[in-house]
Amino acid sequence: MPKVSVLIPTYNYARFLPEAIASVLEQDFRDFELVIGDDASPDGSGEILRDYAARDPRIRAQVHPRNLGMVANWNWCLAQARAPYVKFVFGDDRLNSRQALGRMSVALDTHPRATMAASSRLILDEGSNPIEIWDGLGSAGLKSGAEVIRRCLRADRNLVGEPSAVMFRRAAGERGFDPRLRQIVDEEMWFHLLSAGDLVYESDPLCVFRRHGNQQTVLNREAKVTSAESLVLLARYLGYLTRDGGERLDSFSLRRLLFRYIYYSRKNTRRDGARTPEVLQAEEQLLARLTPRWYALCLLLHRVGKPLENLGRHLRPVPEPGRRALPGSARSPAV
């Protein structure tokens, strides 16, 4: 049995697949299997996979006869994994270091309480040109699972990273990804894993995340899915904000946080089908905690303060936390 199962779910990424596969096969760490699930791509991905599988016995590739959908394909790949450690590499991403698998598996070996390891990400454009580094968790080392959940909820951002940036224990993730979600599927899975253990973070960019117009994140953002699903995530994990060093439920800052989630969910999903029964239930649950009176007060403060906040950002732009420019010596995609 291999130590790491590397999983590549892919759909219509024939132009990127050779990079993704090669980045795995070139690892210094050799004790892995590679499982690839192609979701019935019509772009010739199947031929690429058959060619690689014929040349390397560690590769198990499946071209699904019909399209399963993004989350179902992720879960299909996860169900095929045999190793104790799981490492996703999406078909349009790749590993950024020959030591990526080795370093992340050692991190989990060294910290038995950690359910997952993650690293910063090198961001590429569609032409494979480096743009910047995303480093949401800062310094390297072991981080409390509960504190990482709190930080993500306060920031309303996935600070851990995309699936290509993560390795986790298969036993902790057997539940799989939640098929009811479309956009924050990975972040919800990270919260599930972190509710059972800690996270080991590598500040070096061991993986690559590619930005392009056809990725599911862009399509979901256009459909305004994110705000609605973030509300569901907050409702599920609200308890982490109010325990073990978190804030009091009646604190003003927490009330402002609840307001922002509810307000932007309502604003961004008013005209589409994102307001599902689960979203409405989450909104009702959080509004009951906030109370309509506090919602009205927070709305008034928002309407008064938002124009001033926007003006301040225009006059003095502030770099987004977690993003840093590439040093001059690191403009090559490889570390």
Side-chain angles (χ1 to χ4, degrees), residues 7 9-10 37-39 62 64 66-80 88 90 176-182 185:
L7 311 178
T10 182
D38 178 80
D39 207 11
Q62 167 75 32
H64 303 314
R66 61 178 180 82
N67 185 271
L68 303 179
M70 182 186 76
V71 182
N73 192 29
W74 294 10
N75 283 332
W76 180 89
C77 290
L78 184 55
Q80 307 307 307
F88 274 90
F90 280 6
F177 295 89
D178 187 342
R180 295 169 294 178
L181 301 174
R182 292 165 55 189
V185 189

mmCIF file of all heavy atoms in Angstrom, residues 7 9-10 37-39 62 64 66-80 88 90 176-182 185:
data_model
loop_
_atom_site.group_PDB
_atom_site.id
_atom_site.type_symbol
_atom_site.label_atom_id
_atom_site.label_comp_id
_atom_site.label_asym_id
_atom_site.label_seq_id
_atom_site.Cartn_x
_atom_site.Cartn_y
_atom_site.Cartn_z
ATOM 1 N N LEU A 7 -4.559 12.569 -5.976
ATOM 2 C CA LEU A 7 -5.819 12.514 -6.712
ATOM 3 C C LEU A 7 -5.922 13.715 -7.643
ATOM 4 O O LEU A 7 -5.775 14.861 -7.203
ATOM 5 C CB LEU A 7 -7.000 12.515 -5.742
ATOM 6 C CG LEU A 7 -6.931 11.526 -4.571
ATOM 7 C CD1 LEU A 7 -8.159 11.676 -3.678
ATOM 8 C CD2 LEU A 7 -6.804 10.097 -5.080
ATOM 9 N N PRO A 9 -8.700 15.218 -9.995
ATOM 10 C CA PRO A 9 -9.989 15.326 -10.676
ATOM 11 C C PRO A 9 -9.864 16.374 -11.781
ATOM 12 O O PRO A 9 -9.252 17.429 -11.584
ATOM 13 C CB PRO A 9 -10.933 15.798 -9.558
ATOM 14 C CG PRO A 9 -10.059 16.518 -8.596
ATOM 15 C CD PRO A 9 -8.656 15.972 -8.747
ATOM 16 N N THR A 10 -10.427 16.095 -12.945
ATOM 17 C CA THR A 10 -10.224 17.011 -14.069
ATOM 18 C C THR A 10 -11.437 17.019 -14.984
ATOM 19 O O THR A 10 -12.161 16.022 -15.098
ATOM 20 C CB THR A 10 -8.958 16.616 -14.854
ATOM 21 O OG1 THR A 10 -8.741 17.547 -15.913
ATOM 22 C CG2 THR A 10 -9.071 15.207 -15.421
ATOM 23 N N GLY A 37 -9.415 11.109 -12.181
ATOM 24 C CA GLY A 37 -10.808 10.960 -12.571
ATOM 25 C C GLY A 37 -11.187 12.050 -13.550
ATOM 26 O O GLY A 37 -11.295 13.225 -13.180
ATOM 27 N N ASP A 38 -11.387 11.677 -14.799
ATOM 28 C CA ASP A 38 -11.799 12.649 -15.816
ATOM 29 C C ASP A 38 -13.321 12.607 -15.951
ATOM 30 O O ASP A 38 -13.907 11.548 -16.185
ATOM 31 C CB ASP A 38 -11.149 12.353 -17.165
ATOM 32 C CG ASP A 38 -11.607 13.334 -18.227
ATOM 33 O OD1 ASP A 38 -11.070 14.452 -18.248
ATOM 34 O OD2 ASP A 38 -12.524 12.998 -19.000
ATOM 35 N N ASP A 39 -13.957 13.773 -15.835
ATOM 36 C CA ASP A 39 -15.420 13.846 -15.773
ATOM 37 C C ASP A 39 -16.043 13.968 -17.158
ATOM 38 O O ASP A 39 -16.775 14.913 -17.448
ATOM 39 C CB ASP A 39 -15.842 15.013 -14.883
ATOM 40 C CG ASP A 39 -17.199 14.791 -14.250
ATOM 41 O OD1 ASP A 39 -17.721 13.653 -14.326
ATOM 42 O OD2 ASP A 39 -17.738 15.740 -13.661
ATOM 43 N N GLN A 62 -9.402 6.974 -14.857
ATOM 44 C CA GLN A 62 -10.772 6.626 -15.222
ATOM 45 C C GLN A 62 -11.393 7.805 -15.965
ATOM 46 O O GLN A 62 -11.396 8.938 -15.463
ATOM 47 C CB GLN A 62 -11.603 6.329 -13.971
ATOM 48 C CG GLN A 62 -13.104 6.267 -14.188
ATOM 49 C CD GLN A 62 -13.531 4.985 -14.868
ATOM 50 O OE1 GLN A 62 -12.902 3.935 -14.667
ATOM 51 N NE2 GLN A 62 -14.584 5.044 -15.663
ATOM 52 N N HIS A 64 -14.908 8.935 -16.938
ATOM 53 C CA HIS A 64 -16.291 8.591 -16.631
ATOM 54 C C HIS A 64 -17.135 8.600 -17.910
ATOM 55 O O HIS A 64 -16.989 9.495 -18.749
ATOM 56 C CB HIS A 64 -16.890 9.576 -15.626
ATOM 57 C CG HIS A 64 -16.118 9.664 -14.344
ATOM 58 N ND1 HIS A 64 -15.684 8.558 -13.659
ATOM 59 C CD2 HIS A 64 -15.693 10.742 -13.621
ATOM 60 C CE1 HIS A 64 -15.031 8.941 -12.567
ATOM 61 N NE2 HIS A 64 -15.023 10.257 -12.524
ATOM 62 N N ARG A 66 -20.181 9.329 -18.213
ATOM 63 C CA ARG A 66 -21.066 10.500 -18.201
ATOM 64 C C ARG A 66 -20.547 11.475 -17.154
ATOM 65 O O ARG A 66 -19.806 11.099 -16.239
ATOM 66 C CB ARG A 66 -22.510 10.101 -17.870
ATOM 67 C CG ARG A 66 -22.675 9.456 -16.515
ATOM 68 C CD ARG A 66 -24.127 9.113 -16.212
ATOM 69 N NE ARG A 66 -24.277 8.491 -14.891
ATOM 70 C CZ ARG A 66 -24.334 9.173 -13.747
ATOM 71 N NH1 ARG A 66 -24.280 10.493 -13.764
ATOM 72 N NH2 ARG A 66 -24.467 8.540 -12.593
ATOM 73 N N ASN A 67 -20.934 12.721 -17.297
ATOM 74 C CA ASN A 67 -20.460 13.763 -16.393
ATOM 75 C C ASN A 67 -21.107 13.619 -15.021
ATOM 76 O O ASN A 67 -22.337 13.619 -14.906
ATOM 77 C CB ASN A 67 -20.770 15.145 -16.991
ATOM 78 C CG ASN A 67 -20.190 16.267 -16.169
ATOM 79 O OD1 ASN A 67 -20.819 16.765 -15.259
ATOM 80 N ND2 ASN A 67 -18.970 16.665 -16.496
ATOM 81 N N LEU A 68 -20.283 13.495 -13.980
ATOM 82 C CA LEU A 68 -20.779 13.349 -12.616
ATOM 83 C C LEU A 68 -21.051 14.688 -11.947
ATOM 84 O O LEU A 68 -21.870 14.782 -11.042
ATOM 85 C CB LEU A 68 -19.765 12.577 -11.766
ATOM 86 C CG LEU A 68 -19.353 11.186 -12.245
ATOM 87 C CD1 LEU A 68 -18.330 10.586 -11.283
ATOM 88 C CD2 LEU A 68 -20.560 10.279 -12.365
ATOM 89 N N GLY A 69 -20.333 15.723 -12.363
ATOM 90 C CA GLY A 69 -20.361 16.999 -11.670
ATOM 91 C C GLY A 69 -19.121 17.153 -10.810
ATOM 92 O O GLY A 69 -18.494 16.163 -10.401
ATOM 93 N N MET A 70 -18.751 18.392 -10.517
ATOM 94 C CA MET A 70 -17.481 18.680 -9.861
ATOM 95 C C MET A 70 -17.315 17.947 -8.533
ATOM 96 O O MET A 70 -16.346 17.213 -8.324
ATOM 97 C CB MET A 70 -17.338 20.187 -9.637
ATOM 98 C CG MET A 70 -16.023 20.596 -8.994
ATOM 99 S SD MET A 70 -15.931 22.351 -8.582
ATOM 100 C CE MET A 70 -16.964 22.404 -7.092
ATOM 101 N N VAL A 71 -18.260 18.133 -7.604
ATOM 102 C CA VAL A 71 -18.091 17.570 -6.265
ATOM 103 C C VAL A 71 -18.157 16.043 -6.311
ATOM 104 O O VAL A 71 -17.408 15.356 -5.608
ATOM 105 C CB VAL A 71 -19.140 18.141 -5.298
ATOM 106 C CG1 VAL A 71 -18.936 17.603 -3.888
ATOM 107 C CG2 VAL A 71 -19.071 19.671 -5.283
ATOM 108 N N ALA A 72 -19.047 15.504 -7.120
ATOM 109 C CA ALA A 72 -19.149 14.044 -7.234
ATOM 110 C C ALA A 72 -17.852 13.444 -7.772
ATOM 111 O O ALA A 72 -17.437 12.358 -7.346
ATOM 112 C CB ALA A 72 -20.325 13.667 -8.130
ATOM 113 N N ASN A 73 -17.188 14.142 -8.681
ATOM 114 C CA ASN A 73 -15.909 13.647 -9.200
ATOM 115 C C ASN A 73 -14.826 13.719 -8.131
ATOM 116 O O ASN A 73 -13.994 12.814 -8.016
ATOM 117 C CB ASN A 73 -15.498 14.450 -10.434
ATOM 118 C CG ASN A 73 -14.343 13.806 -11.190
ATOM 119 O OD1 ASN A 73 -14.172 12.585 -11.175
ATOM 120 N ND2 ASN A 73 -13.547 14.622 -11.844
ATOM 121 N N TRP A 74 -14.818 14.794 -7.320
ATOM 122 C CA TRP A 74 -13.876 14.852 -6.199
ATOM 123 C C TRP A 74 -14.079 13.656 -5.282
ATOM 124 O O TRP A 74 -13.120 13.003 -4.866
ATOM 125 C CB TRP A 74 -14.094 16.118 -5.389
ATOM 126 C CG TRP A 74 -13.793 17.410 -6.061
ATOM 127 C CD1 TRP A 74 -13.512 17.619 -7.378
ATOM 128 C CD2 TRP A 74 -13.767 18.691 -5.430
ATOM 129 N NE1 TRP A 74 -13.311 18.955 -7.607
ATOM 130 C CE2 TRP A 74 -13.463 19.637 -6.441
ATOM 131 C CE3 TRP A 74 -13.982 19.129 -4.137
ATOM 132 C CZ2 TRP A 74 -13.363 21.004 -6.170
ATOM 133 C CZ3 TRP A 74 -13.885 20.490 -3.860
ATOM 134 C CH2 TRP A 74 -13.583 21.412 -4.869
ATOM 135 N N ASN A 75 -15.339 13.380 -4.958
ATOM 136 C CA ASN A 75 -15.631 12.276 -4.035
ATOM 137 C C ASN A 75 -15.341 10.923 -4.666
ATOM 138 O O ASN A 75 -14.958 9.976 -3.962
ATOM 139 C CB ASN A 75 -17.082 12.359 -3.563
ATOM 140 C CG ASN A 75 -17.286 13.425 -2.498
ATOM 141 O OD1 ASN A 75 -16.369 13.741 -1.746
ATOM 142 N ND2 ASN A 75 -18.489 13.971 -2.422
ATOM 143 N N TRP A 76 -15.513 10.806 -5.976
ATOM 144 C CA TRP A 76 -15.144 9.552 -6.647
ATOM 145 C C TRP A 76 -13.637 9.318 -6.482
ATOM 146 O O TRP A 76 -13.209 8.213 -6.136
ATOM 147 C CB TRP A 76 -15.499 9.607 -8.131
ATOM 148 C CG TRP A 76 -15.132 8.339 -8.853
ATOM 149 C CD1 TRP A 76 -15.907 7.232 -9.012
ATOM 150 C CD2 TRP A 76 -13.868 8.036 -9.473
ATOM 151 N NE1 TRP A 76 -15.201 6.257 -9.695
ATOM 152 C CE2 TRP A 76 -13.951 6.719 -9.987
ATOM 153 C CE3 TRP A 76 -12.683 8.741 -9.634
ATOM 154 C CZ2 TRP A 76 -12.897 6.111 -10.658
ATOM 155 C CZ3 TRP A 76 -11.625 8.130 -10.302
ATOM 156 C CH2 TRP A 76 -11.738 6.833 -10.805
ATOM 157 N N CYS A 77 -12.848 10.350 -6.736
ATOM 158 C CA CYS A 77 -11.388 10.226 -6.569
ATOM 159 C C CYS A 77 -11.042 9.844 -5.136
ATOM 160 O O CYS A 77 -10.214 8.959 -4.899
ATOM 161 C CB CYS A 77 -10.707 11.539 -6.942
ATOM 162 S SG CYS A 77 -10.729 11.952 -8.707
ATOM 163 N N LEU A 78 -11.688 10.490 -4.172
ATOM 164 C CA LEU A 78 -11.400 10.207 -2.763
ATOM 165 C C LEU A 78 -11.746 8.764 -2.413
ATOM 166 O O LEU A 78 -11.030 8.105 -1.647
ATOM 167 C CB LEU A 78 -12.180 11.186 -1.879
ATOM 168 C CG LEU A 78 -11.940 11.111 -0.370
ATOM 169 C CD1 LEU A 78 -10.466 11.267 -0.040
ATOM 170 C CD2 LEU A 78 -12.766 12.183 0.341
ATOM 171 N N ALA A 79 -12.832 8.256 -2.980
ATOM 172 C CA ALA A 79 -13.239 6.872 -2.695
ATOM 173 C C ALA A 79 -12.242 5.862 -3.249
ATOM 174 O O ALA A 79 -12.169 4.723 -2.760
ATOM 175 C CB ALA A 79 -14.630 6.613 -3.268
ATOM 176 N N GLN A 80 -11.471 6.235 -4.278
ATOM 177 C CA GLN A 80 -10.478 5.319 -4.858
ATOM 178 C C GLN A 80 -9.166 5.294 -4.076
ATOM 179 O O GLN A 80 -8.339 4.408 -4.283
ATOM 180 C CB GLN A 80 -10.178 5.723 -6.314
ATOM 181 C CG GLN A 80 -11.378 5.857 -7.211
ATOM 182 C CD GLN A 80 -12.251 4.631 -7.206
ATOM 183 O OE1 GLN A 80 -11.774 3.520 -7.428
ATOM 184 N NE2 GLN A 80 -13.547 4.820 -6.940
ATOM 185 N N PHE A 88 -4.709 16.158 -3.111
ATOM 186 C CA PHE A 88 -5.347 16.557 -4.359
ATOM 187 C C PHE A 88 -4.412 17.455 -5.160
ATOM 188 O O PHE A 88 -3.688 18.283 -4.607
ATOM 189 C CB PHE A 88 -6.647 17.321 -4.088
ATOM 190 C CG PHE A 88 -7.851 16.432 -3.896
ATOM 191 C CD1 PHE A 88 -8.187 15.968 -2.636
ATOM 192 C CD2 PHE A 88 -8.627 16.057 -4.979
ATOM 193 C CE1 PHE A 88 -9.288 15.145 -2.452
ATOM 194 C CE2 PHE A 88 -9.729 15.238 -4.812
ATOM 195 C CZ PHE A 88 -10.065 14.778 -3.546
ATOM 196 N N PHE A 90 -5.407 19.513 -8.684
ATOM 197 C CA PHE A 90 -6.420 19.667 -9.721
ATOM 198 C C PHE A 90 -5.786 19.663 -11.105
ATOM 199 O O PHE A 90 -4.609 19.987 -11.274
ATOM 200 C CB PHE A 90 -7.210 20.944 -9.500
ATOM 201 C CG PHE A 90 -8.278 20.804 -8.446
ATOM 202 C CD1 PHE A 90 -8.395 19.654 -7.692
ATOM 203 C CD2 PHE A 90 -9.174 21.827 -8.208
ATOM 204 C CE1 PHE A 90 -9.373 19.514 -6.733
ATOM 205 C CE2 PHE A 90 -10.163 21.701 -7.256
ATOM 206 C CZ PHE A 90 -10.263 20.543 -6.517
ATOM 207 N N GLY A 176 -16.162 12.689 3.059
ATOM 208 C CA GLY A 176 -16.182 13.258 1.720
ATOM 209 C C GLY A 176 -16.612 14.716 1.718
ATOM 210 O O GLY A 176 -16.934 15.311 2.748
ATOM 211 N N PHE A 177 -16.600 15.305 0.530
ATOM 212 C CA PHE A 177 -17.003 16.697 0.350
ATOM 213 C C PHE A 177 -18.524 16.779 0.272
ATOM 214 O O PHE A 177 -19.180 15.892 -0.263
ATOM 215 C CB PHE A 177 -16.377 17.266 -0.927
ATOM 216 C CG PHE A 177 -14.874 17.349 -0.898
ATOM 217 C CD1 PHE A 177 -14.100 16.275 -1.321
ATOM 218 C CD2 PHE A 177 -14.239 18.488 -0.438
ATOM 219 C CE1 PHE A 177 -12.713 16.344 -1.298
ATOM 220 C CE2 PHE A 177 -12.849 18.567 -0.403
ATOM 221 C CZ PHE A 177 -12.085 17.495 -0.830
ATOM 222 N N ASP A 178 -19.074 17.868 0.782
ATOM 223 C CA ASP A 178 -20.523 18.035 0.861
ATOM 224 C C ASP A 178 -21.096 18.324 -0.531
ATOM 225 O O ASP A 178 -20.849 19.401 -1.084
ATOM 226 C CB ASP A 178 -20.853 19.184 1.818
ATOM 227 C CG ASP A 178 -22.344 19.309 2.097
ATOM 228 O OD1 ASP A 178 -23.152 18.761 1.328
ATOM 229 O OD2 ASP A 178 -22.706 19.970 3.090
ATOM 230 N N PRO A 179 -21.872 17.416 -1.106
ATOM 231 C CA PRO A 179 -22.380 17.621 -2.472
ATOM 232 C C PRO A 179 -23.462 18.688 -2.560
ATOM 233 O O PRO A 179 -23.871 19.059 -3.670
ATOM 234 C CB PRO A 179 -22.941 16.234 -2.847
ATOM 235 C CG PRO A 179 -23.296 15.615 -1.549
ATOM 236 C CD PRO A 179 -22.290 16.113 -0.553
ATOM 237 N N ARG A 180 -23.936 19.203 -1.421
ATOM 238 C CA ARG A 180 -24.958 20.257 -1.460
ATOM 239 C C ARG A 180 -24.346 21.621 -1.757
ATOM 240 O O ARG A 180 -25.082 22.574 -2.038
ATOM 241 C CB ARG A 180 -25.709 20.298 -0.129
ATOM 242 C CG ARG A 180 -26.523 19.060 0.179
ATOM 243 C CD ARG A 180 -27.024 19.066 1.612
ATOM 244 N NE ARG A 180 -25.911 18.961 2.557
ATOM 245 C CZ ARG A 180 -26.051 18.985 3.869
ATOM 246 N NH1 ARG A 180 -27.267 19.119 4.405
ATOM 247 N NH2 ARG A 180 -24.995 18.880 4.668
ATOM 248 N N LEU A 181 -23.023 21.731 -1.682
ATOM 249 C CA LEU A 181 -22.340 22.998 -1.890
ATOM 250 C C LEU A 181 -21.712 23.048 -3.280
ATOM 251 O O LEU A 181 -21.408 22.011 -3.880
ATOM 252 C CB LEU A 181 -21.262 23.200 -0.828
ATOM 253 C CG LEU A 181 -21.747 23.192 0.623
ATOM 254 C CD1 LEU A 181 -20.564 23.242 1.579
ATOM 255 C CD2 LEU A 181 -22.699 24.355 0.889
ATOM 256 N N ARG A 182 -21.489 24.276 -3.779
ATOM 257 C CA ARG A 182 -20.903 24.456 -5.104
ATOM 258 C C ARG A 182 -19.586 25.220 -5.070
ATOM 259 O O ARG A 182 -18.698 24.971 -5.879
ATOM 260 C CB ARG A 182 -21.887 25.205 -6.011
ATOM 261 C CG ARG A 182 -23.137 24.431 -6.372
ATOM 262 C CD ARG A 182 -24.206 25.332 -6.958
ATOM 263 N NE ARG A 182 -23.738 26.096 -8.099
ATOM 264 C CZ ARG A 182 -24.440 27.086 -8.666
ATOM 265 N NH1 ARG A 182 -25.623 27.414 -8.178
ATOM 266 N NH2 ARG A 182 -23.960 27.733 -9.699
ATOM 267 N N VAL A 185 -16.965 24.353 -1.123
ATOM 268 C CA VAL A 185 -16.907 22.913 -0.840
ATOM 269 C C VAL A 185 -15.621 22.564 -0.105
ATOM 270 O O VAL A 185 -15.629 21.815 0.882
ATOM 271 C CB VAL A 185 -16.976 22.105 -2.150
ATOM 272 C CG1 VAL A 185 -17.149 20.625 -1.851
ATOM 273 C CG2 VAL A 185 -18.091 22.610 -3.040
#
